[in-house]
Amino acid sequence: MNLENRTSRRGIVWLSVLLLFVVLMVLANEMTDGERFYGVAPIVVIALAVVGLLQVYRATWDYQGWGLGTRQVRGLTVGTALYATVAVIFTGVLDLSVGPVALRPQVCIPILFGYAFGPVVGFFSGAVGSLLGDFIAGLGVFPAWHIGVGLMGLTPGLVAGYSGRGRDPSFVSNLVVVTIAIAASIVFLHPRVPGPWTGEVQNFSFWGWALVVGGLVMLANSLLLEDVSVILAAASLWGTLGILVGNGFAALAHVWINEYSLTTALIGEFAPSAATDILNLVVFTPIVLAGYRATRRRGRLRR
């Protein structure tokens, strides 16, 4: 199969994955007993996200990781099921949260699966896993969040292909550190904004410090792991970049969907969710990776 045919086939696969996600989201929206999306704003946000993701493919069409073979399909299935299962446990059964922000240890799943299997698997396992988890838990459908979680998995899958596994990740490290520093500075400069969940003016300076601490822990963790596990170091850095991209998308989308002010979206929503997800990534990534490796070893022994 020549390069042109392979490129065309990958584009069709990516478009099919995006359309399948949209169809599942619409069906879940019709069937849920929880929160629904309606009106022009969420539909336009979904459409813009699909168009943008297609443009991302067009800009990176030469990356072989866009392929979807048997190995990727297995990863996609397992990643989606794992995310949905853990999401139900933590949001439906244990009902754990940090303030109004859900404790989401499952964010490491699409990040690791995106790194291991490519951007298609990372996006699908995050977006559809998030959709299924919220639907099963009876929470409803939240388009911006589902797309945002998908971006968390897509980003490391894409960056991994262009950065080269095992090579110097200093550019990504610097980008992540600068982004976290800017976000924390915005919180410190303007900490009091209407909360996105209550509308009451709240002081979010705690989440500025949480971003700083999360960023420092992530950076220290990555530097220490470079001598122990290149995979964990890369997943920590690129996963953090994915978290910033995904939460940034969701927060900005809610400026239109939920009519938040820009300061409320960035300070009241982005800062708490990004800080919590970064800490979850650092803590739970080694656990998920260890479980994945143990499962693979058992599979080899059985064969």
Side-chain angles (χ1 to χ4, degrees):
M1 185 182 295
N2 60 39
L3 180 60
E4 184 178 349
N5 288 337
R6 286 199 301 269
T7 302
S8 177
R9 182 178 177 183
R10 289 173 190 161
I12 293 172
V13 168
W14 181 227
L15 176 61
S16 300
V17 166
L18 293 176
L19 292 179
L20 176 59
F21 164 60
V22 171
V23 169
L24 290 174
M25 191 159 48
V26 171
L27 290 175
N29 191 58
E30 292 298 319
M31 298 169 61
T32 186
D33 292 327
E35 185 169 330
R36 290 179 169 86
F37 67 85
Y38 56 88
V40 174
I43 294 173
V44 173
V45 166
I46 294 168
L48 290 175
V50 170
V51 171
L53 288 168
L54 290 174
Q55 293 304 312
V56 169
Y57 170 78
R58 287 189 62 187
T60 58
W61 61 268
D62 57 335
Y63 174 40
Q64 293 184 356
W66 285 110
L68 195 64
T70 303
R71 177 175 173 271
Q72 285 76 21
V73 171
R74 284 200 297 265
L76 180 150
T77 304
V78 173
T80 303
L82 275 176
Y83 190 102
T85 301
V86 178
V88 170
I89 292 173
F90 274 80
T91 61
V93 179
L94 299 182
D95 194 26
L96 295 178
S97 65
V98 180
V101 181
L103 179 62
R104 300 192 296 182
Q106 66 270 21
V107 296
C108 62
I109 294 171
I111 287 169
L112 279 174
F113 276 74
Y115 175 85
F117 298 101
V120 178
V121 175
F123 178 83
F124 192 91
S125 59
V128 178
S130 171
L131 172 65
L132 292 178
D134 285 351
F135 176 77
I136 294 170
L139 299 178
V141 180
F142 309 89
W145 281 121
H146 303 319
I147 295 169
V149 177
L151 292 174
M152 292 184 199
L154 180 142
T155 302
L158 199 56
V159 175
Y162 279 92
S163 297
R165 302 182 188 197
R167 291 208 289 269
D168 182 17
S170 59
F171 172 76
V172 177
S173 176
N174 293 335
L175 177 61
V176 167
V177 169
V178 169
T179 304
I180 290 176
I182 292 173
S185 298
I186 293 172
V187 176
F188 291 139
L189 289 171
H190 194 348
R192 298 185 66 83
V193 297
W197 301 277
T198 64
E200 298 178 2
V201 175
Q202 301 175 43
N203 190 329
F204 286 88
S205 56
F206 168 82
W207 293 108
W209 290 112
L211 274 174
V212 172
V213 172
L216 290 175
V217 170
M218 176 277 303
L219 187 59
N221 182 65
S222 297
L223 292 174
L224 291 172
L225 287 173
E226 283 182 4
D227 296 329
V228 179
S229 173
V230 174
I231 291 177
L232 278 174
S236 179
L237 280 174
W238 299 335
T240 300
L241 180 61
I243 286 170
L244 295 173
V245 171
N247 281 292
F249 170 86
L252 292 175
H254 286 153
V255 171
W256 192 12
I257 294 176
N258 295 338
E259 299 182 348
Y260 293 162
S261 67
L262 184 60
T263 53
T264 293
L266 294 178
I267 298 169
E269 185 167 75
F270 170 78
S273 58
T276 307
D277 285 347
I278 290 170
L279 291 173
N280 283 331
L281 175 69
V282 171
V283 172
F284 291 103
T285 294
I287 298 172
V288 174
L289 184 60
Y292 173 74
R293 286 174 168 171
T295 302
R296 290 193 66 184
R297 282 197 295 270
R298 290 195 197 98
R300 291 195 192 102
L301 290 174
R302 288 173 183 172
R303 286 196 293 268

